């Protein structure tokens, strides 16, 4: 168990809908990362937060947004969902924003868009 | 373009034999290199990293990796494979992309250890 929790575990929704994925980092970790894992694109970095502030952004779609709250949990919001958004979404955390530190991954949220 | 490659989709090894999972990279500057493992229906777990220092890095579960600057490689190795090592292995490298530093990931290599 990495100490990172993600809810829900599974999510099935229809095209055009909006969903929110939630992540609680490991105790003491201030940095949160969001990744998308799909069969065709592999593991892609979406966005990083550190202590409530956006730190780095990957190739994240404009339909996607995220935030990190004062209690350090993070939410990833996906809107106007398309079939191609079906994927496994991982949250990871680390103690600092530096990429020299290992990241601890949650179990993921499997999103299915029908 | 900055990239990381895992040239083998799948590696098959007999239990007790040595294993190697390959990773090559192309980034500017000094690379930060990582290996992670993913078991079915689980998140990724950190195995080891190279940031600086000794080219041979030892990590979890008896794995090690060798940083080779001239060949731009960071291959994962283990002297004696276990059936429980069967999993999906990812190599990652820090790269400058989309105007910031981020980890970019290889496509993954499925390691199958046969009894």
């Amino acid at each position: 168990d990495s100490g990172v929790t993600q809810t829900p575990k599974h999510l099935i929704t229809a095209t055009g809908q909006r969903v929110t994925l939630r992540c609680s980092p490991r105790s003491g970790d201030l940095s949160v990362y969001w990744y998308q894992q799909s069969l065709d694109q592999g593991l892609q970095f979406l966005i990083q937060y550190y202590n409530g502030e956006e730190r780095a952004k990957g190739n994240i779609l404009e339909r996607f947004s995220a935030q990190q709250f004062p209690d350090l949990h993070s939410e990833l919001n996906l809107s106007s969902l398309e079939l191609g958004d079906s994927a496994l979404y991982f949250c990871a955390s680390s103690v600092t924003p530096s990429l020299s530190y290992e990241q601890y991954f949650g179990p993921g949220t499997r999103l299915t868009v029908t | 373009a900055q990239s990381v490659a895992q040239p083998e989709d799948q590696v098959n090894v007999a239990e007790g034999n040595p294993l190697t999972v390959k990773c090559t990279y192309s980034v500017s500057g000094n690379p930060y290199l990582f290996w992670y493992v993913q078991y079915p229906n689980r998140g990724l777990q950190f195995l080891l990293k190279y940031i600086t220092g000794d080219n041979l890095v030892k990590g979890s579960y008896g794995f090690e990796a060798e940083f080779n600057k001239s060949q731009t490689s960071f291959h994962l190795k283990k002297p004696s494979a276990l059936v429980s090592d069967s999993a999906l292995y990812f190599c990652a490298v820090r790269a400058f992309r989309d105007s910031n530093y981020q980890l970019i990931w290889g496509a993954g290599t499925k390691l199958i250890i046969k009894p």
Side-chain angles (χ1 to χ4, degrees):
Chain A
D1 184 3
S2 67
V4 178
T5 60
Q6 288 187 248
T7 56
K9 201 167 184 177
H10 301 279
L11 200 47
I12 301 174
T13 189
T15 53
Q17 295 298 304
R18 172 189 168 94
V19 297
T20 298
L21 313 184
R22 183 188 168 103
C23 167
S24 291
R26 224 171 46 125
S27 178
D29 284 358
L30 299 178
S31 196
V32 169
Y33 307 79
W34 285 98
Y35 292 94
Q36 180 193 59
Q37 185 179 37
S38 62
L39 284 175
D40 55 342
Q41 301 257 4
L43 195 60
Q44 301 282 324
F45 167 70
L46 294 177
I47 198 164
Q48 177 194 4
Y49 279 82
Y50 174 68
N51 206 18
E53 299 290 326
E54 182 182 302
R55 177 80 177 190
K57 219 169 187 178
N59 193 19
I60 187 168
L61 298 171
E62 286 193 14
R63 302 184 284 108
F64 295 3
S65 64
Q67 53 184 325
Q68 185 180 27
F69 294 87
D71 68 351
L72 300 177
H73 91 271
S74 178
E75 293 180 357
L76 178 67
N77 300 296
L78 315 176
S79 62
S80 303
L81 284 167
E82 302 175 359
L83 295 178
D85 298 327
S86 296
L88 198 49
Y89 291 84
F90 286 110
C91 165
S93 71
S94 65
V95 62
T96 81
S98 169
L99 290 176
S100 64
Y101 284 78
E102 52 265 41
Q103 297 177 21
Y104 294 85
F105 281 74
T109 293
R110 183 169 295 280
L111 174 66
T112 303
V113 182
T114 62
Chain B
Q2 306 199 44
S3 63
V4 58
Q6 293 180 242
E8 301 151 321
D9 290 337
Q10 183 169 307
V11 170
N12 298 297
V13 177
E15 187 177 26
N17 282 2
L19 70 87
T20 298
V21 183
K22 296 179 180 176
C23 173
T24 59
Y25 65 91
S26 174
V27 297
S28 52
N30 294 322
Y32 293 178
L33 293 153
F34 299 83
W35 277 102
Y36 282 79
V37 60
Q38 186 179 24
Y39 297 100
N41 301 313
R42 302 281 293 276
L44 280 73
Q45 294 177 38
F46 169 77
L47 279 179
L48 50 79
K49 66 182 178 184
Y50 172 83
I51 305 299
T52 187
D54 194 349
N55 289 345
L56 184 63
V57 178
K58 294 191 183 297
S60 308
Y61 312 120
F63 284 94
E64 58 188 30
E66 186 163 14
F67 170 61
N68 188 318
K69 190 172 184 178
S70 62
Q71 297 188 3
T72 61
S73 67
F74 189 56
H75 300 332
L76 181 70
K77 301 183 180 187
K78 188 173 182 181
S80 178
L82 300 172
V83 173
S84 58
D85 293 329
S86 299
L88 190 55
Y89 289 79
F90 289 94
C91 179
V93 65
R94 185 192 71 155
F96 195 77
R97 181 185 280 185
D98 302 315
S99 305
N100 44 225
Y101 280 105
Q102 57 182 271
L103 290 187
I104 59 173
W105 299 79
T109 298
K110 187 174 185 179
L111 178 62
I112 298 177
I113 309 299
K114 299 186 177 176

